[in-house]
Amino acid sequence: MSPSRKILWAPNPSFLEAGKSTIKVLADGRFSVWHRKGVTMSWMGPREDAENAFKVRLSLRTALGDKAYAWDTNEEYLFKAMVAFSMRRVPNREGTEISHVLLCNVTQRVSFWFVVTDPSRNHTLPAVEVQSAIRLPLVAVSGGCSSLRMNRNRINNAFFLNDQTLEFLRIPATLAPPTDPSVPIWIIIFGVIFCIVIVATMLLILSGIRQHRRKNKGPSEMEDTEDKWENTVKIENGIPCDPLDMKGGHVNDAFVTEDERLTPL
Amino acid sequence: MDEARPLWATPLQFVFACISYAVGLGNVWRFPYLCQMYGGGSFLVPYIIMLTVEGMPLLYLELAVGQRMRQGSIGAWRTINPYLSGVGVASVVVSFFLSMYYNVINAWAFWYLFHSFQDPLPWSVCPLNGNRTGYDEECEKASSTQYFWYRKTLNISPSIQESGAVQWEPALCLILAWLLVYLCILRGTESTGKVVYFTALLPYCVLIVYLVRGLTLHGATNGLAYMFTPKMEQLANPKAWINAATQIFFSLGLGFGSLIAFASYNEPSNNCQKHAVIVSIINSSTSIFASVVTFSIYGFKATFNYESCLNKVILLLTNSFDLEDGFLTVSNLEEVKSYLASAYPSKYSEVFPQIKNCSLESELETAVQGTGLAFIVYTEAIKNMEVSQLWSVLYFFMLLMLGIGSMLGNTAAILTPLTDSKVISSYLPKEAISGLVCLVSCAIGLVFTMEAGNYWFDIFNDYAATLPLLLIVLVEAAAVCYLYGLRRFESDLKAMTGHALNWYWKAMWGGVSPLLIISLFVFYLSDYIITGTLQYQAWDASQGQLVTKDYPPYALAIIGLLVASSTMCIPLGALGTFIVRRLKRRDTASVA
């Protein structure tokens, strides 16, 4: 290694195990470390490549409870497949293979870092591309933000998880906007109750007016018949009969006491 | 004798009318707060003592006066003594202020009721911000229920000076509320008598349903234990006694003239003593019952928040230290925390500031009263229940019933004297007078739907009724005992109902109750004078919480006007009668 080449990052010696790591120096001065762990090849590359890495966090027990599956290498393979699938949707990246997706630092949590390399395996793809791939719509749907979520939904569904339990840190999920109906529901219910109250009020007012009119007509009719009776009485015998008899009873207030008027309950 | 006075169809209607008037929102949102603040179970001691010493006697007094005089408050007090016509007018003025602002609560209840038919409930989620990357900032800082109340319902301005425009949504709900009230009072006792069956009974149905639901909620026992554990030392706190007296006084709705109005539609031989005792006992039992429901819901909410807080801490630690998902639980949280602190001290100290101290006690201690309890705390609890739409609809329907029931009493207090007055009733039929009163109140009530409307609402709520009512009831009790004469009143009652007046009532009316009212009055006056400037709570949208501000001078002037306009009626009425009599005497003297 020529000392004039700038070393931007050096691997932590504790990560290197004898016989399992290969350090390669690349043409432009970057170097890469291949660390074999089981069947996984981890790219512990330079810091600028670390900028293109994404941390993924899964909460299996929170999401699935007892039905939580164990996170093993097969699940990792599926994850790499999903990421490769998403990358293939990006124009110019149709040739992405599963082996181009590299996982590292898998913890018990379960969380890990991943990067996507280009076919030559020398560079990592810029974060922006990976980000757009994860958010890329499965089918170009015009209008509606729901389309942005489709790729993400596919990945979530493959693992029976959702946005909260499968987190891509640094790729914020676009929050699903709440469905807004064209007419707010509350106005509909308001309108219904408003109409009912107005109709009931009108009915009551109208029946009140009708009752009032009937009461006004009633006494005037009564007066006519009383006059007629008086006239007939006066005419009949020539002797003015007591009109009290014709009117059918009259209460003498002098003898009514408060208690007798109504029976107490 | 011209047209007979309309009567209640059965005495049961009268009792239900009194119950639906007295059992109002105060039972649901004020009593549980007082219970919590002043010693839990031990608050019941001053409460029951005040009920027997102050509540029942004064309630009986008002009902007896109404039933004996068979007129609304103005006519009744004029009959007792012509110089007291001002008392009746003061009652009507206070009732008018009350009905103006009280119906706004019904409007809010309607608003929440209409919004309960959505899934998810609109106050359970925060709306997204402009670019859809996160939630609205104000909502994040406060909570979603506070945001819905302060921003979506009230659209509150930062201070009382900034009035803003009338919000059309609450205005529509207010108009609907007034239409509903008008529909119920349209035909006088004929319509009111039927409506009170619903407004008196339905809230109890809902309360029972909520009691069963509340007691079965997870964490309800925490709230109940917290509430009912008596803190005996509070008995020595004079504020506990004063608040018990105040609560009884205002909960029964004394002094507004509504009870006089209701009783005036009674048969003269009605046993109003029995009814007074029944109504006051039912009112207080409802308060206690409602607080059991409220505290089981408090307990649920506090436990829910406490557990969410713990879960957030667990998630934070799990993510920071990449522990296995599900390893950290509530039971091992403390040991794991201490292990992590010792094993990874640097990383732990980074994470430490974000770890909140979750405490069930502090969640339970958030004591809220008034509209805050009803529209923020309760909705927060409801959104976490299953089938939350059903519980929400039931709850706001109950609030609506309670509110409308009280409004019926308030409007009766205003309308009965108006319809009794021959001058007005000869020109306009009953329906037109009711319509006019509703229209005027609604128009003025639109002030409370402006952006600063809630601040004006608080002014009316705190000052329009408190002092004037104490004065009115004091004058009432003193007038009946000393001006009219206790013995004369006693013989009137005996002739009317057939029962002799128990010595207990005489002792209370003559001595104990007036003394209590005087001491309450003195306390409140001195409290206002000592605190100096009056302050209010304003909502600060940038911080997402309430801040205390001073009232501007014109608001203080309006407060003074509110109090003065009702209390001044009493001396002015006496003065007016005095002048009129003087003039008449001069006329007759000059004629003779």
Side-chain angles (χ1 to χ4, degrees), chain B residues 28-49:
Chain B
V28 171
W29 74 32
R30 175 103 177 123
F31 181 79
Y33 168 78
L34 289 176
C35 220
Q36 188 179 359
M37 294 294 284
Y38 295 110
S42 54
F43 182 72
L44 292 177
V45 172
Y47 188 68
I48 292 177
I49 292 179

Side-chain angles (χ1 to χ4, degrees), chain A residues 9-222:
Chain A
W9 173 86
N12 190 326
S14 63
F15 283 132
L16 305 177
E17 286 180 37
K20 288 194 179 161
S21 311
T22 328
I23 301 182
K24 235 163 77 168
V25 180
L26 303 170
D28 58 358
R30 293 182 301 149
F31 58 88
S32 64
V33 176
W34 288 91
H35 177 70
R36 194 180 286 272
K37 185 178 175 181
V39 294
T40 313
M41 292 286 269
S42 310
W43 174 280
M44 319 272 278
R47 190 175 295 277
E48 60 206 32
D49 290 338
E51 283 169 2
N52 295 333
F54 290 88
K55 184 163 183 183
V56 179
R57 191 154 62 205
L58 289 89
S59 310
L60 293 169
R61 199 139 322 150
T62 312
L64 304 165
D66 291 331
K67 301 200 197 93
Y69 47 81
W71 185 261
D72 57 12
T73 48
N74 295 327
E75 305 287 341
E76 289 177 17
Y77 192 82
L78 177 59
F79 183 81
K80 286 199 263 187
M82 294 305 297
V83 173
F85 164 75
S86 309
M87 285 310 299
R88 284 179 156 221
R89 292 283 164 189
V90 177
N92 293 336
R93 294 287 168 206
E94 285 87 351
T96 315
E97 299 287 338
I98 292 180
S99 51
H100 296 153
V101 183
L102 305 167
L103 266 59
C104 68
N105 253 0
V106 184
T107 64
Q108 260 189 319
R109 169 65 183 82
V110 174
S111 69
F112 49 84
W113 292 80
F114 77 92
V115 284
V116 187
T117 61
D118 69 344
S120 68
R121 305 243 192 116
N122 285 337
H123 319 281
T124 55
L125 298 185
V128 186
E129 274 196 51
V130 182
Q131 201 162 355
S132 67
I134 306 283
R135 286 163 103 173
L136 199 68
L138 192 56
V139 175
V141 176
S142 58
C145 303
S146 52
S147 56
L148 270 173
R149 296 199 34 78
M150 282 187 183
N151 239 18
R152 185 64 192 271
N153 275 347
R154 267 312 257 280
I155 302 180
N156 287 350
N157 286 340
F159 294 98
F160 308 121
L161 300 171
N162 59 28
D163 280 350
Q164 279 76 43
T165 41
L166 172 58
E167 298 166 82
F168 286 83
L169 303 179
R170 277 173 58 198
I171 303 182
T174 50
L175 301 161
T179 48
D180 270 335
S182 51
V183 179
I185 297 180
W186 77 270
I187 287 204
I188 300 175
I189 305 176
F190 168 80
V192 167
I193 300 204
F194 193 76
C195 292
I196 293 178
V197 171
I198 291 233
V199 165
T201 312
M202 289 295 155
L203 283 175
L204 271 185
I205 294 182
L206 285 173
S207 68
I209 295 178
R210 223 176 292 149
Q211 249 180 16
H212 210 67
R213 240 177 253 161
R214 220 177 293 145
K215 231 188 280 172
N216 281 343
K217 243 187 262 170
S220 58
E221 281 173 2
M222 273 279 286

Side-chain angles (χ1 to χ4, degrees), chain A residues 55 57 59-62 107-109 111 145 175 177 186 189-190 193-194 200-201 204 207-208 262 265, chain B residues 11 111 114-115 117-118 128 132-134 169 172 176 179 182-183 186-187 267 318-319 322-325:
Chain A
K55 184 163 183 183
R57 191 154 62 205
S59 310
L60 293 169
R61 199 139 322 150
T62 312
T107 64
Q108 260 189 319
R109 169 65 183 82
S111 69
C145 303
L175 301 161
W186 77 270
I189 305 176
F190 168 80
I193 300 204
F194 193 76
T201 312
L204 271 185
S207 68
L262 297 147
L265 282 154
Chain B
W111 168 264
F114 296 149
H115 277 88
F117 291 96
Q118 293 174 14
L128 304 177
R132 299 262 173 82
T133 52
E169 299 103 334
L172 276 183
L176 176 64
L179 273 175
Y182 180 55
L183 177 65
L186 187 51
R187 288 284 193 80
E267 319 278 355
T318 311
N319 286 343
D322 279 326
L323 305 166
E324 190 186 324
D325 184 32

Side-chain angles (χ1 to χ4, degrees), chain B residues 11 24 38 48 97 103 107 140 195 218-219 283 319 332 355 471 572:
Chain B
Y38 295 110
I48 292 177
F97 289 149
N103 223 10
E140 289 272 277
V195 172
H218 167 63
N283 182 47
N319 286 343
N332 63 8
I355 300 181
L471 193 61
L572 283 177

Side-chain angles (χ1 to χ4, degrees), chain B residues 1 33 46 91 107 125 175 189 220 256 314 346 370 394 419 444 533 554:
Chain B
M1 193 161 67
Y33 168 78
S91 291
V125 286
I175 293 175
T189 48
F256 286 102
I314 288 178
S346 55
L394 271 181
T419 46
I444 303 180
T533 49
Y554 70 87

Side-chain angles (χ1 to χ4, degrees), chain B residues 292-366:
Chain B
V292 170
V293 176
T294 302
F295 273 92
S296 44
I297 302 228
Y298 259 167
F300 165 70
K301 175 185 103 70
T303 311
F304 188 87
N305 286 348
Y306 170 66
E307 284 175 0
S308 321
C309 176
L310 281 178
N311 283 336
K312 277 201 197 112
V313 172
I314 288 178
L315 191 65
L316 176 69
L317 287 175
T318 311
N319 286 343
S320 313
F321 291 96
D322 279 326
L323 305 166
E324 190 186 324
D325 184 32
F327 167 65
L328 256 184
T329 60
V330 180
S331 38
N332 63 8
L333 180 62
E334 287 305 312
E335 346 166 345
V336 175
K337 263 166 79 175
S338 43
Y339 163 71
L340 289 172
S342 55
Y344 307 98
S346 55
K347 195 155 188 194
Y348 191 79
S349 54
E350 281 173 24
V351 178
F352 187 68
Q354 299 172 41
I355 300 181
K356 277 192 229 163
N357 254 335
C358 301
S359 149
L360 187 60
E361 275 289 317
S362 64
E363 291 281 340
L364 283 171
E365 262 160 30
T366 51

